[in-house]
């Protein structure tokens, strides 16, 4: 090999290394995903970060079926995944009978039955309504969901024909919350919207001081939610007026959906703090540091509120004294998806390695760990 | 603290927060914030960049002499290295002088690049990760997520109109052409040609694949580099020397007294600043010896 060729090869190699290094950096932004599990008639339905929808027997952990909702992101010439394409399913699927509704990060809502696609919206092969992150919600004959483009859709639950569409100015990543004939939408344009569930007409909107990612909890005529301005809010659902705002700011954002138990509302922040507010006044009843960001929404099990920190540690806060205690064994991998509870079993979807854990809610004993990777 | 944690604390964190603050003050435009921070970082690193360009240019100017030495002492490597060192010493050049500023700058560029990637994240994981970088100032928390809209671009997505990839590739070609050393050596010419096309093609290709916010950062960086390069060394190989001379002569005949062509005057000033009179005398001698027409008698 001539001297010139050797030098040329060395140079090309150096430049390719630089390119790979840069591509490697961008990989840090690649989408992960993975939905919470939903349990229906003894079957767990869960969406994976690779874009698979799985039906799993909740007793045995055996898969009934798996369907590739989304294809894995194509790889470029250098073998790396481009950042803009992803195959994740973030939102908790919604189930009615044998119909499973799932929103994909590719911007399509699909209905599956026994592992077969029955319908999708939009129907066109290349159309997309924007990344769907929050889970779809069923009710009043409709399916409701929001998108990264700030659009909220109400589709006929059978035909997926569009009933109405509402436009917010920021991403709608939170699952809509349907209560009676009103649907509540958290948006990253800093607003909480109350819409007529049948027409999409705006009833009121409330401006927080920062983006809202947490779906509100509606209890006793009040919507409770935290925002990126690190305040926690209570809003009157009849008027859209502020009932109270937390006195002090949290250290980091409120991300996950809070939980109301009796006279207390439990809210975890991204700094690992759990705040317990009085539902009527907003006074802080207690706060506890759980040591790692709280991204996953908690569940109520008996007299305990169960949190999973992002690093996989489970905690139980008793609803009488609000004291935290470690709960069962820790989970391997990151926990971002909301926890799910059914028949005294808590289901936890963790990433890296992607696994669905089943933990006995009364004892904290691990029952199953189901690998979700291919 | 892990190495990654330390890097995040000292490099990514500050840049992420600065970018958010800039976005807030620049009409909520993240695109303007990228441009502003790229300019600021370039200005801060100007002394290093200048040193790098000067060293590179000086090394390029020495190539013919080095080639002569290599030819002369092809069979005596010890003597060759002695003579090379002597040559460097006489010229007042550090042979790795162009590498050191580049090595110092690389982590800063890398941090800026990672910061932009962090802020452009369009998925929940990216935002979750970003939350850990934010300082406690209320404005920062409330400002996120930033708007990804800038001109025709969605900064978090590749530019489907392909304008940014073309701008990135074209600007890199121009910059590369400006620093391409003139050479009669076919080997060196071939290397130069490869460099001239390889970088623009690689970055152009990446701009097709990557969020356009990064392409914007690459384009602005290259543009600033072109401007700096122009003021330090002129158009270089981009504009053929003959054309530069003619332009200089026309300009001097209109505006300057005879004998002070603009190009020559600019180069003299730069050379004097960077290398002192001794090197300047040598260069002048070489220029006169090779029949250069830059200076009128």
């Amino acid at each position: 090999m001539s001297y010139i060729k050797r030098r040329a090869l060395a140079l090309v190699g150096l430049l390719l290394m630089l390119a790979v290094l840069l591509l490697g950096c961008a990989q840090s932004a690649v989408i992960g995903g993975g939905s919470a599990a939903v349990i229906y008639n003894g079957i767990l339905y869960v969406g994976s970060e690779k874009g698979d929808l799985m039906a799993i027997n909740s007793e045995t952990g055996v898969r009934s079926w798996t369907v590739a909702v989304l294809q894995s992101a194509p790889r470029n010439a250098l073998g790396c995944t481009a950042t803009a394409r992803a195959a994740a399913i973030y939102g908790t699927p919604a189930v009615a009978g044998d119909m499973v509704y799932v929103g994909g990060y590719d911007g399509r809502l699909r209905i599956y039955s026994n592992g077969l696609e029955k319908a999708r919206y939009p129907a066109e092969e290349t159309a997309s309504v924007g990344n769907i992150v929050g889970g779809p919600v069923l009710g009043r004959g409709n399916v409701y969901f929001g998108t990264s483009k700030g659009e909220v859709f109400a589709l006929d639950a059978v035909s997926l024909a569009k009933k109405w569409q509402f436009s917010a100015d920021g991403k709608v990543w939170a699952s809509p919350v349907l209560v009676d004939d009103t649907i509540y939408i958290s948006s990253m344009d800093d607003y909480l919207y109350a819409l007529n569930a049948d027409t999409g007409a705006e009833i009121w909107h409330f401006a927080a001081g920062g983006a809202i990612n947490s779906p509100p909890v509606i209890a006793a005529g009040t919507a409770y939610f935290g925002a990126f301005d690190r305040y926690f809010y209570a809003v009157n659902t009849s008027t859209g007026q502020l009932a109270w705002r937390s006195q002090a700011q949290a250290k980091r954002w409120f991300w996950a959906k809070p939980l109301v138990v009796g006279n207390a509302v439990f809210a975890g922040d991204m700094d690992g703090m759990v705040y317990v507010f009085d539902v009527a006044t907003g006074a802080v009843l207690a706060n506890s540091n759980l040591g790692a960001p709280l991204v996953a929404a908690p569940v109520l099990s008996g007299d305990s509120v169960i949190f999973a920190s992002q690093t996989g540690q489970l905690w139980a806060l008793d609803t009488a004294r609000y004291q935290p205690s470690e709960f069962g064994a820790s989970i391997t991998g990151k926990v971002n998806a909301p926890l799910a509870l059914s028949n005294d079993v808590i289901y936890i979807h963790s990433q890296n390695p992607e696994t669905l854990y089943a933990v006995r809610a009364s004892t904290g004993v691990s029952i199953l760990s189901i690998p979700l990777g291919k | 603290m892990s190495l990654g944690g330390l890097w995040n604390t000292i490099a990514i964190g500050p840049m992420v927060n600065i970018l958010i603050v800039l976005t807030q003050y620049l009409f909520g435009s993240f695109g303007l914030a990228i441009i502003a921070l790229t300019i600021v970082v370039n200005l801060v690193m100007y002394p290093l960049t200048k040193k790098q360009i000067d060293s590179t240019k000086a090394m390029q100017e020495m190539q013919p002499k080095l080639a002569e030495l290599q030819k002369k002492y092809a069979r005596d490597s010890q003597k060759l290295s002695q003579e090379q060192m002597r040559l460097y010493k006489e010229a007042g050049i550090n042979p790795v002088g162009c590498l050191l500023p580049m090595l110092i700058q690389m982590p800063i560029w890398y941090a800026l690049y990672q910061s932009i990637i962090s802020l452009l994240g369009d998925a929940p994981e990216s935002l979750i990760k970003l939350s850990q970088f934010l300082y406690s100032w209320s404005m920062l928390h409330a400002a996120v997520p930033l708007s990804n809209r800038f001109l025709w671009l969605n900064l978090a997505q590749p530019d489907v109109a392909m304008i940014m990839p073309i701008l990135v590739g074209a600007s890199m070609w121009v910059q590369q052409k400006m620093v391409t050393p003139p050479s009669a050596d076919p080997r060196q010419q071939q290397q130069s040609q490869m460099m001239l096309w390889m970088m623009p093609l690689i970055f152009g290709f990446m701009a097709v694949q990557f969020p356009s916010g990064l392409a914007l950062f690459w384009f602005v960086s290259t543009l600033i580099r072109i401007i700096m390069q122009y003021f330090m060394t002129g158009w270089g190989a981009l504009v053929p020397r003959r054309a530069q001379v003619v332009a200089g002569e026309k300009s001097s005949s209109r505006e300057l007294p005879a004998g002070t062509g603009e190009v020559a005057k600019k180069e003299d000033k730069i050379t004097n600043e960077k290398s002192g009179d001794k090197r300047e005398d040598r260069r002048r001698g070489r220029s006169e010896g090779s029949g250069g027409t830059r200076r009128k008698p």
Side-chain angles (χ1 to χ4, degrees):
Chain A
M1 191 182 286
S2 73
Y3 174 77
I4 294 175
K5 279 185 179 170
R6 279 203 307 270
R7 291 286 293 269
L9 277 176
L11 194 64
V12 170
L14 197 70
L15 291 169
L16 284 177
M17 275 170 62
L18 175 71
V20 169
L21 178 74
L22 291 171
L23 286 164
C25 303
Q27 293 278 316
S28 62
V30 164
I31 289 96
S35 81
V38 59
I39 304 96
Y40 191 88
N41 285 345
I43 302 290
L44 290 162
Y45 297 95
V46 63
S48 80
E49 62 182 278
K50 300 284 187 220
D52 293 332
L53 176 66
M54 301 169 196
I56 301 167
N57 184 304
S58 61
E59 293 289 324
T60 61
V62 175
R63 287 189 205 179
S64 303
W65 50 262
T66 300
V67 59
V69 176
L70 309 171
Q71 298 299 314
S72 291
R75 292 180 178 273
N76 61 30
L78 294 170
C80 299
T81 310
T83 54
R85 301 180 197 133
I89 296 171
Y90 286 96
T92 309
V95 186
D98 64 344
M99 309 290 258
V100 186
Y101 296 74
V102 58
Y105 197 76
D106 66 340
R108 296 186 186 98
L109 183 92
R110 295 172 173 89
I111 305 177
Y112 288 91
S113 176
N114 294 317
L116 296 173
E117 185 178 318
K118 294 292 177 188
R120 67 164 70 176
Y121 181 86
E124 298 81 22
E125 191 59 41
T126 54
S128 164
V129 289
N131 309 132
I132 302 174
V133 174
V137 169
L138 291 166
R140 304 179 78 82
N142 297 332
V143 55
Y144 303 91
F145 65 96
T147 75
S148 276
K149 288 182 178 171
E151 303 296 332
V152 180
F153 291 90
L155 311 178
D156 181 276
V158 177
S159 66
L160 294 191
K162 189 167 82 176
K163 293 273 192 74
W164 54 259
Q165 181 178 348
F166 175 82
S167 297
D169 285 335
K171 294 179 173 75
V172 177
W173 278 2
S175 296
V177 175
L178 180 66
V179 178
D180 300 327
D181 61 350
T182 304
I183 191 150
Y184 298 89
I185 304 294
S186 300
S187 171
M188 294 212 189
D189 62 5
D190 302 0
Y191 288 109
L192 176 72
Y193 296 93
L195 309 177
N196 182 304
D198 296 326
T199 64
E202 184 179 316
I203 302 168
W204 52 256
H205 63 255
F206 171 81
I212 311 170
N213 183 66
S214 145
V217 171
I218 312 296
T222 308
Y224 299 96
F225 61 94
F228 281 16
D229 63 354
R230 300 175 292 160
Y231 283 108
F232 195 85
Y233 294 86
V235 174
N236 186 307
T237 54
S238 301
T239 62
Q241 297 297 308
L242 179 70
W244 53 260
R245 190 184 77 168
S246 57
Q247 289 280 314
Q249 284 174 301
K251 199 172 174 188
R252 295 195 184 279
W253 302 334
F254 288 103
W255 182 280
K257 185 175 183 175
L259 188 68
V260 173
V261 183
N263 293 325
V265 52
F266 293 74
D269 82 352
M270 297 289 282
D271 198 43
M273 292 293 293
V274 173
Y275 297 88
V276 185
F277 299 103
D278 184 290
V279 290
T281 64
V284 177
L285 302 174
N287 59 53
S288 307
N289 189 348
L290 304 189
L294 298 168
V295 184
V299 290
L300 176 67
S301 167
D303 294 333
S304 298
V305 177
I306 311 296
F307 280 91
S309 69
Q310 200 193 24
T311 51
Q313 179 61 54
L314 299 180
W315 296 87
L317 268 78
D318 71 88
T319 53
R321 294 179 300 113
Y322 316 124
Q323 291 303 305
S325 57
E326 289 191 13
F327 180 73
S330 59
I331 300 299
T332 305
K334 282 191 171 182
V335 181
N336 289 336
L339 306 187
L341 176 73
S342 176
N343 292 332
D344 195 38
V345 179
I346 300 169
Y347 297 94
I348 305 149
H349 186 167
S350 78
Q351 293 167 296
N352 197 23
E354 194 175 17
T355 309
L356 186 68
Y357 291 92
V359 174
R360 182 71 60 199
S362 50
T363 60
V365 173
S366 178
I367 304 169
L368 281 173
S369 68
I370 306 162
L372 298 181
K374 282 186 175 168
Chain B
M1 187 183 282
S2 67
L3 203 61
L6 185 69
W7 173 250
N8 287 343
T9 306
I10 62 169
I12 310 295
M15 283 210 185
V16 161
N17 287 282
I18 288 169
L19 274 168
I20 297 172
V21 171
L22 282 173
T23 303
Q24 287 301 93
Y25 283 106
L26 292 170
F27 320 106
S29 169
F30 185 47
L32 286 180
I34 291 175
I35 293 171
L37 190 60
T38 309
I39 292 170
V40 169
V41 170
N42 267 288
L43 288 176
V44 169
M45 292 199 300
Y46 174 74
L48 287 172
T49 310
K50 185 175 183 305
K51 203 168 181 177
Q52 186 193 341
I53 292 172
D54 288 348
S55 296
T56 307
K57 188 163 186 289
M59 285 294 289
Q60 284 170 359
E61 285 174 352
M62 285 189 67
Q63 285 308 311
K65 286 191 175 181
L66 287 170
E68 273 178 33
L69 286 178
Q70 277 172 345
K71 208 172 177 181
K72 193 173 175 183
Y73 301 107
R75 295 186 178 181
D76 188 350
S77 57
Q78 196 179 349
K79 182 72 176 167
L80 174 64
S81 55
Q82 280 175 359
E83 287 299 313
Q84 282 176 335
M85 289 312 293
R86 188 181 59 76
L87 197 62
Y88 288 138
K89 205 173 177 183
E90 277 180 9
I93 294 172
N94 182 349
V96 292
C98 58
L99 289 179
L100 192 63
M102 196 166 74
L103 285 175
I104 295 170
Q105 288 178 68
M106 272 181 75
I108 297 167
W109 287 122
Y110 192 58
L112 183 56
Y113 172 87
Q114 281 192 311
S115 307
I116 293 170
I117 279 278
S118 297
L119 282 161
L120 281 176
D122 212 15
E125 285 84 356
S126 309
L127 215 51
I128 289 167
K129 192 175 172 188
L130 177 63
S131 76
Q132 305 305 314
F133 291 130
L134 302 182
Y135 297 156
S136 60
W137 196 11
S138 291
M139 183 185 102
L140 297 168
H141 290 262
V144 176
L146 304 177
S147 168
N148 287 332
R149 289 280 155 204
F150 181 65
L151 302 175
W152 73 96
L153 301 167
N154 176 349
L155 296 170
Q157 300 290 329
D159 179 13
V160 287
M162 295 293 287
I163 295 170
M164 283 313 292
I166 291 168
L167 286 176
V168 167
S171 60
M172 284 205 170
W173 187 89
V174 168
Q175 199 243 332
Q176 205 61 47
K177 185 77 179 168
M178 285 171 79
V179 296
T180 300
S183 174
D185 182 354
R187 282 186 310 187
Q188 206 174 341
Q189 275 181 358
Q190 192 172 345
Q191 279 176 29
S192 302
Q193 279 298 311
M194 197 160 56
M195 280 295 287
L196 179 63
W197 289 103
M198 191 61 75
M199 289 295 278
L201 283 176
I202 284 180
F203 275 84
F205 169 74
M206 291 202 297
V208 173
Q209 301 267 321
F210 278 65
S212 54
L214 278 178
L216 178 67
F217 157 63
W218 290 328
F219 173 61
V220 175
S221 303
T222 313
L223 213 57
I224 295 167
R225 192 68 185 238
I226 288 171
I227 294 167
M228 284 182 175
Q229 192 87 37
Y230 170 74
F231 281 106
M232 283 188 232
T233 61
W235 288 118
L238 184 67
V239 179
R241 180 151 290 197
R242 191 178 171 78
Q244 285 186 44
V245 173
V246 171
E249 282 172 352
K250 278 184 182 172
S251 164
S252 63
S253 63
R254 274 200 312 270
E255 298 165 12
L256 299 169
T260 52
E262 199 171 286
V263 174
K265 191 181 174 192
K266 191 184 292 164
E267 285 196 0
D268 284 353
K269 191 180 169 201
I270 292 164
T271 317
N272 277 322
E273 276 175 8
K274 71 184 176 194
S275 311
D277 292 336
K278 194 176 170 186
R279 260 187 65 205
E280 169 59 9
D281 290 342
R282 262 201 317 279
R283 195 187 67 79
R284 206 173 285 168
R286 195 166 59 238
S287 174
E288 284 163 7
S290 60
T293 55
R294 287 179 168 204
R295 286 176 161 266
K296 289 185 178 177

